[in-house]
Amino acid sequence: MTSSDARADHIAHFPFPFPHDQYRYSTNVEPAGNCTETVAGYWGENRIAIDAHYHRELAEREQILAEDPSRHQCLPHMVPAAWDAMLTLMRTLADEYPDTMTLEKRRDEWLWKNDILGIEHSFVFGDLDTLPAPPLAYICSQIQEDVVLLDQREGALWGDAGLVTFAADWSFGFDVGMSFLEIHGPVPRVHSEKIITRAHNFLMRLGPGQSYRRTNWTLNIDGKLDTSTETYPGWGKDRRTLADGPLDDVGDRLFLRTEVQHLIRLAHSGAVMFLIRTYLLSFRDVASVPEWGERLYKVLEDLPVDMAEYKGISRIREPGMRWLLTYGSVET
């Protein structure tokens, strides 16, 4: 596949997150596993998405974990849930990619094959000595999604395990052990409008094996996947350099960042698994789909100040809007 073909394919399967010209916080959940059509193509047919960035993103995850092992956390009581998550993800991969992924039960052992990475490995469920790494670390080395596991107890959900290397201005290492409501405490409007309470109650009611999805978004500079608070000194200054730099650079430096979040109740442990897959599309590529460029401009223009500040885009949305008007064929 040529670079132009890869770019066209990436645009065609980008999960553009705006169904309307205005954006406000909402639970916006829908059943998982169904294709969503867009004006450029479609997305969402699989719960786990493998694309042309597979090897590059896995290599980046490996490097991040080597430099900061705290991105992987599993409180002791969540070990069974981590095993449950690993096996669930393997089953999903084998179901969605049967030509390259297989999972077989052989007496007391499981045989896992990932032909893309050349992996063939036997393990005993629950026996850490039969894996080369803890279960979450092992399976997350083979998927592009971040994973967070929520324990349900005391009438609440708690973020007690996960592996997150591609956070958007938050820290899993800081949030681990906090309740779902505490984690979302800083988000403006969601408490006064009862959005987080409704989302929390929805997740608490998920039945075993049920899966849903939602999207979230922000803006990103230079297409960085890891914009966690731990690495802020390395990327925080990018907002200033973009805002103060030439306008014609904005189309290639400013990205729309979409997260597709899958919410799955694990059948055996009862934990709720969040899969967070990050997609990045430059403003130039967004504007190559005229309907997307128009809508992104309107969303940014209408976005309330407190929401823009929380997303960290107050300084960069105005250059993005000016670029869309000047170079993106947006009409006002």
Side-chain angles (χ1 to χ4, degrees):
M1 181 182 292
T2 65
S3 59
S4 60
D5 289 338
R7 179 188 175 207
D9 186 70
H10 184 57
I11 295 170
H13 298 297
F14 183 78
F16 189 74
F18 305 121
H20 308 291
D21 291 342
Q22 182 185 76
Y23 174 83
R24 295 294 185 272
Y25 288 120
S26 68
T27 51
N28 71 311
V29 294
E30 62 183 11
N34 299 313
C35 272
T36 294
E37 294 187 0
T38 71
V39 294
Y42 66 91
W43 64 274
E45 62 180 336
N46 294 328
R47 290 168 178 82
I48 303 173
I50 295 176
D51 60 20
H53 304 289
Y54 185 66
H55 292 280
R56 177 180 61 81
E57 292 184 9
L58 294 186
E60 183 171 346
R61 168 165 289 157
E62 182 179 13
Q63 180 179 350
I64 291 168
L65 287 170
E67 296 173 354
D68 183 3
S70 72
R71 306 296 187 93
H72 171 223
Q73 302 267 354
C74 186
L75 300 185
H77 68 278
M78 293 297 285
V79 171
W83 280 96
D84 193 3
M86 184 189 78
L87 200 63
T88 299
L89 291 168
M90 286 178 172
R91 284 173 169 150
T92 303
L93 285 164
D95 180 57
E96 295 181 342
Y97 302 96
D99 293 339
T100 55
M101 311 278 185
T102 58
L103 180 67
E104 300 177 23
K105 183 70 181 296
R106 296 183 176 180
R107 297 182 181 177
D108 295 331
E109 290 188 333
W110 292 89
L111 177 63
W112 166 245
K113 292 183 181 180
N114 177 338
D115 291 338
I116 301 176
L117 298 177
I119 293 172
E120 181 173 338
H121 188 82
S122 296
F123 65 91
V124 176
F125 185 85
D127 185 351
L128 185 56
D129 290 337
T130 62
L131 282 181
L136 273 184
Y138 181 67
I139 193 60
C140 286
S141 70
Q142 301 176 57
I143 61 175
Q144 291 160 270
E145 285 78 2
D146 286 324
V147 177
V148 175
L149 301 181
L150 302 176
D151 188 32
Q152 185 165 329
R153 63 182 188 277
E154 303 170 3
L157 295 166
W158 304 81
D160 287 347
L163 191 150
V164 180
T165 54
F166 305 139
D169 208 358
W170 63 285
S171 167
F172 175 68
F174 178 80
D175 288 349
V176 68
M178 296 173 65
S179 73
F180 182 85
L181 297 177
E182 289 171 334
I183 290 170
H184 292 88
V187 186
R189 299 172 182 248
V190 295
H191 296 280
S192 60
E193 298 173 12
K194 307 295 185 184
I195 294 169
I196 286 299
T197 302
R198 292 199 302 272
H200 183 263
N201 293 340
F202 173 82
L203 290 171
M204 295 272 287
R205 293 194 298 269
L206 278 179
Q210 284 190 314
S211 61
Y212 288 80
R213 72 182 180 210
R214 66 183 299 273
T215 58
N216 195 14
W217 72 276
T218 188
L219 302 183
N220 176 283
I221 300 171
D222 296 334
K224 290 183 173 68
L225 281 169
D226 180 17
T227 54
S228 62
T229 52
E230 289 91 340
T231 59
Y232 179 80
W235 59 265
K237 62 182 182 296
D238 295 340
R239 297 169 180 173
R240 183 179 64 256
T241 62
L242 181 117
D244 296 341
L247 182 63
D248 56 2
D249 287 351
V250 171
D252 295 312
R253 291 199 63 201
L254 191 57
F255 284 69
L256 174 60
R257 174 180 175 133
T258 301
E259 292 179 353
V260 177
Q261 303 173 354
H262 279 85
L263 326 168
I264 303 169
R265 173 74 75 176
L266 299 177
H268 297 290
S269 64
V272 175
M273 177 168 63
F274 266 73
L275 301 179
I276 308 168
R277 176 62 194 280
T278 298
Y279 299 84
L280 294 158
L281 196 66
S282 71
F283 266 45
R284 187 176 304 281
D285 284 341
V286 171
S288 72
V289 183
E291 295 91 338
W292 287 0
E294 292 274 357
R295 177 152 290 173
L296 177 58
Y297 178 88
K298 291 175 181 177
V299 166
L300 293 177
E301 181 182 42
D302 177 78
L303 195 69
V305 171
D306 59 342
M307 294 174 66
E309 289 179 348
Y310 174 74
K311 287 182 175 291
I313 65 172
S314 295
R315 192 168 194 166
I316 58 178
R317 71 163 165 172
E318 193 273 337
M321 291 167 58
R322 283 196 291 118
W323 187 90
L324 288 169
L325 280 175
T326 306
Y327 298 102
S329 301
V330 172
E331 299 179 2
T332 58

